[in-house]
Amino acid sequence: MHRRRRTALSVSAALLAAGPLLAACGSTAHPGAAAVVGGQRIEVSALQAEVKDVRTAQRNSPQSAQLIKDSGQLGKVKLSNMIFDRVLARAAEQAGVSVTPKDVQDARAAMVQQAGGEAQLREQALTNGGLAPDQIDTYVQRQVTEQKLAGAIGARTQQDLLPVLVKASKDLGVDVNPRYGSWNASQIQLADYQAPWLAKPKQPAPAPAPGAPSQGAPEDQQVDPGDSASTG
């Protein structure tokens, strides 16, 4: 894949920093919810539908095995994006920024032209962004909103956007089911969840000797709770 094409669908650091539920399907306060943002639920079923769409597209790709292997944390990435979109929308609203359907349509048309066609755009979206075809418009809207918000506040880098995103995140309040981690409002991302009843070690554990087996399964062998067809 050429660098020019990768740039067309580069995923912002804020979105994939994850990379941002008790056992079973949800937290005690919000059963069945993967997260609650500003009082609005992100249902586990909605998250799993996003993951399923991507997995279906990946399985239909000639690069199926590699794409699936490279996206073991897909559920957490998708949830992080879903939360981020709500935070971004609040930040844009607070800055007086709006994005019209025509803005999204024009931006997508430019991406199609840069990619070399609609089929190529879909391929790049899946390969570089972990996006199913029906998720591309959401991605485009996210990019357009970020750009317009940056213009409104005079931000030159994503780091310049962080303060307004942090404010929006804290104003909304984000409650993530511990099954998927926790939300770090200062970094606008999902963070690893540490149950409050698990005592932290007083001193860091010694590093294993070279060649010694590590404890626990490698990350690529761990089960991502979001990447499942089950809701229980």
Side-chain angles (χ1 to χ4, degrees), residues 21-28 30-36 42-44 47 79 175-182 190 193 225-226:
L21 316 196
L22 297 175
C25 297
S27 68
T28 302
H30 308 291
V36 178
I42 297 176
E43 300 290 350
V44 170
L47 171 61
L79 180 57
D175 178 17
V176 176
N177 186 317
R179 178 183 178 187
Y180 297 97
S182 61
L190 281 175
Y193 177 71

Side-chain angles (χ1 to χ4, degrees), residues 70-84:
D70 291 345
S71 56
Q73 295 295 306
L74 182 60
K76 289 185 179 181
V77 170
K78 287 299 177 185
L79 180 57
S80 182
N81 289 352
M82 294 167 85
I83 296 172
F84 180 85

Side-chain angles (χ1 to χ4, degrees), residues 1-231:
M1 193 65 64
H2 296 296
R3 180 172 298 176
R4 175 178 62 82
R5 293 187 175 182
R6 287 200 300 268
T7 302
L9 278 165
S10 61
V11 182
S12 69
L15 300 181
L16 295 184
L21 316 196
L22 297 175
C25 297
S27 68
T28 302
H30 308 291
V36 178
V37 183
Q40 301 297 312
R41 296 162 60 91
I42 297 176
E43 300 290 350
V44 170
S45 58
L47 171 61
Q48 291 175 344
E50 290 249 328
V51 172
K52 183 179 179 181
D53 284 349
V54 175
R55 290 298 186 217
T56 298
Q58 289 176 334
R59 292 186 184 103
N60 291 331
S61 168
Q63 306 174 60
S64 175
Q66 190 63 45
L67 291 176
I68 292 173
K69 179 181 177 182
D70 291 345
S71 56
Q73 295 295 306
L74 182 60
K76 289 185 179 181
V77 170
K78 287 299 177 185
L79 180 57
S80 182
N81 289 352
M82 294 167 85
I83 296 172
F84 180 85
D85 284 343
R86 288 156 176 76
V87 171
L88 179 62
R90 174 59 66 91
E93 180 185 6
Q94 291 175 337
V97 169
S98 61
V99 174
T100 68
K102 188 175 187 305
D103 291 332
V104 176
Q105 182 180 3
D106 290 347
R108 176 159 181 159
M111 284 187 176
V112 169
Q113 183 177 13
Q114 187 174 17
E118 180 66 29
Q120 290 85 344
L121 177 66
R122 292 188 176 200
E123 177 189 349
Q124 292 169 30
L126 181 63
T127 302
N128 300 330
L131 300 169
D134 62 355
Q135 296 170 1
I136 295 176
D137 279 352
T138 298
Y139 168 85
V140 175
Q141 175 151 348
R142 185 182 306 143
Q143 296 299 300
V144 173
T145 305
E146 282 188 343
Q147 292 166 8
K148 294 187 77 169
L149 177 59
I153 68 172
R156 295 187 173 217
T157 67
Q158 287 182 335
Q159 193 66 26
D160 294 337
L161 283 175
L162 190 59
V164 297
L165 293 172
V166 168
K167 181 181 185 303
S169 178
K170 291 181 177 178
D171 288 348
L172 282 171
V174 179
D175 178 17
V176 176
N177 186 317
R179 178 183 178 187
Y180 297 97
S182 61
W183 183 252
N184 185 331
S186 297
Q187 296 297 320
I188 314 299
Q189 67 181 35
L190 281 175
D192 291 337
Y193 177 71
Q194 175 72 45
W197 56 85
L198 296 179
K200 295 181 180 179
K202 295 181 180 180
Q203 295 182 355
S214 59
Q215 296 183 0
E219 183 176 356
D220 62 357
Q221 295 180 13
Q222 294 176 355
V223 177
D224 179 357
D227 188 3
S228 169
S230 171
T231 58

